[in-house]
Amino acid sequence: MMEKFVKLTGVAAPLPVVNIDTDMIIPKDYLKTIKRTGLGKGLFAEARYKEDGSENPDFVLNKPAYRNTQILVAGDNFGCGSSREHAPWALLDFGIRCVISTSFADIFYNNCFKNGILPIVVSPENLEKLMDDASRGSNAVLTVDLENQEITGPDGGTIKFDIDPFKRHCLLNGLDDIGLTLEKAASIANFEKANAVAHPWA
C-alpha cells in the first residue's frame, strides 16, 4: 500500500530554479537499480556534492535547517526532461512528500501521484509568497492540507489550490495503480468464477 497523504506539516525548502529536469533531480548514474529505496542519497547529487564526494555547503538541502525537509518550493517547469520514475522515487526516499511550483512536466506530475507525492500548482504570486516563507530556515514550516486543498504558512496565511478529484482520492486513500486494481478484487474474483463455469475448457 502506498502511504496516504492527508495533511503534512513540515519544513519547506526553497529551490528558486526554473526548468529543473529529471536528470538534475536524479543523475543517470543512479538509474542502475529498479529498487525504490536508497535513491535519496542521489537526489540533486550534482548540486549536493563536490567532485571529491564531499557535501556542498551552499546547496539548500545540505544546510542544517533543511536536512529533514518534507516540502520543496521550486521554480517553474519542475520535472521536465526524461520520463524516469526514479525522480519521484529519489524525492520520496529523501523524505520529500510535496513539491510546489507554478508548473510541472506532465509525466513527472503523474508519476508523483503514483508514488505518494503531492505536486501542487500555484500562481506565480503565491509561489513568491511561499518561496519567501521557505527562506526562513527552521521557521519555514508549512502545513499542506489535501482534504481542504490549502497551504498554511508560518504566519497563518492560507493559499487554496486545485487538484483533480480522482488524483486527490487516490492520495487521500493511499491508492497507486495496484491499489486501485485491488479495490476491485471481489469483482474480479466473481468474474473469474463465472467465467470458469461458462467456459470450463478455458
Side-chain angles (χ1 to χ4, degrees):
M1 286 288 290
M2 184 174 72
E3 186 178 353
K4 295 179 181 180
F5 191 115
V6 180
K7 181 184 285 188
L8 172 66
T9 298
V11 171
L15 196 60
V17 181
V18 299
N19 300 320
I20 293 176
D21 62 24
T22 51
D23 188 53
M24 189 182 301
I25 297 170
I26 183 73
K28 61 181 181 299
D29 294 347
Y30 294 87
L31 305 185
K32 299 171 185 176
T33 180
I34 57 172
K35 294 181 180 180
R36 301 187 183 199
T37 56
L39 289 170
K41 64 183 179 183
L43 182 69
F44 299 117
E46 293 180 355
R48 279 173 67 196
Y49 306 112
K50 298 180 181 179
E51 290 186 5
D52 63 2
S54 62
E55 289 188 352
N56 173 10
D58 295 327
F59 186 67
V60 62
L61 296 183
N62 289 335
K63 296 181 179 181
Y66 298 109
R67 284 187 177 274
N68 297 309
T69 190
Q70 294 176 280
I71 303 165
L72 198 60
V73 182
D76 190 56
N77 197 28
F78 190 89
C80 57
S82 68
S83 60
R84 63 188 68 169
E85 197 167 1
H86 291 70
W89 291 355
L91 286 164
L92 192 63
D93 192 60
F94 183 86
I96 294 172
R97 297 212 62 210
C98 178
V99 182
I100 304 170
S101 180
T102 49
S103 70
F104 295 87
D106 286 343
I107 294 176
F108 174 83
Y109 184 78
N110 289 312
N111 279 340
C112 280
F113 287 101
K114 294 178 180 180
N115 289 282
I117 297 173
L118 173 60
I120 298 176
V121 176
V122 296
S123 68
E125 294 76 19
N126 282 334
L127 185 73
E128 186 176 347
K129 293 176 187 176
L130 292 168
M131 198 70 75
D132 180 65
D133 287 338
S135 299
R136 301 185 187 188
S138 58
N139 294 320
V141 177
L142 300 180
T143 295
V144 178
D145 185 340
L146 180 55
E147 280 192 308
N148 294 308
Q149 296 177 215
E150 63 183 21
I151 305 165
T152 304
D155 295 331
T158 60
I159 292 171
K160 301 291 287 187
F161 62 88
D162 294 322
I163 187 171
D164 176 81
F166 176 71
K167 288 181 168 61
R168 176 178 176 273
H169 167 80
C170 289
L171 273 184
L172 285 172
N173 293 281
L175 298 172
D176 56 10
D177 289 345
I178 295 174
L180 285 168
T181 301
L182 290 176
E183 279 196 317
K184 307 294 183 182
S187 298
I188 293 170
N190 289 335
F191 172 82
E192 293 291 347
K193 288 178 182 177
N195 188 61
V197 172
H199 306 94
W201 60 87

